[in-house]
Amino acid sequence: MHDDDKLSPDLVWQPDGHLTDIALTALGDGEEAILPEGAAAHVARCQICSSALGRAALLSLRAGEMLRAHAAPSGASEPAAPRAPLPIPAITFALALSALGAAPSLVAGAGGLRERLAALWHACAVVVRTGCAVAGSGALSGWLTALPWLSAALLVVVGVGVAWTRGKQLTLNGGM
């Protein structure tokens, strides 16, 4: 963030050297980026500003609770739509039918199962060792927020690989 995007010092600092309500509100909302350097550090070491930040946070919590309490009666008056019971027998029949239909391909595909499991075990070991090495180096400090996206991308790549391999195997066997 550029210095142009930050609040001006007269909006951040009071004449007595403490933070203004605007700066305290920005800190309470997690908008430290719009404050000049030193504002967050000042709150950490100044008892007066720290107490004011705490009071502002408590006021915000109380206001939120009052708004939720005020909104609850209007939302509670609407009756919930009745839910149909879960069709357990139909689900059981469908699962049994799909297992019966998949049985021939599962038996036919079990021939190279040992080699596939060994390759999968090796791939998992490589991924775990690499992950431990990267995590141990401290390189993940900024990447922890991206970890769920990276794991989802890895699952997609593995799924595409499995689908491609399975499609290739079906073509070689005279399948689809």
Side-chain angles (χ1 to χ4, degrees), residues 87-105:
I88 299 292
I91 292 173
T92 304
F93 179 73
L95 287 173
L97 190 62
S98 64
L100 186 63
S105 63

Side-chain angles (χ1 to χ4, degrees), residues 2-81:
H2 302 289
D3 286 340
D4 302 352
D5 298 335
K6 295 186 183 281
L7 291 174
S8 65
D10 60 321
L11 292 175
V12 176
W13 301 101
Q14 295 179 11
D16 61 356
H18 295 292
L19 292 176
T20 63
D21 288 338
I22 296 171
L24 292 170
T25 302
L27 275 173
D29 290 342
E31 297 290 334
E32 294 92 5
I34 66 170
L35 296 174
E37 287 187 35
H42 174 79
V43 169
R45 66 178 183 269
C46 175
Q47 182 65 34
I48 295 171
C49 290
S50 182
S51 296
L53 180 61
R55 284 191 304 274
L58 288 174
L59 179 64
S60 175
L61 284 174
R62 276 184 266 158
E65 289 172 357
M66 291 175 67
L67 287 172
R68 279 190 295 278
H70 181 68
S74 64
S77 64
E78 298 174 15

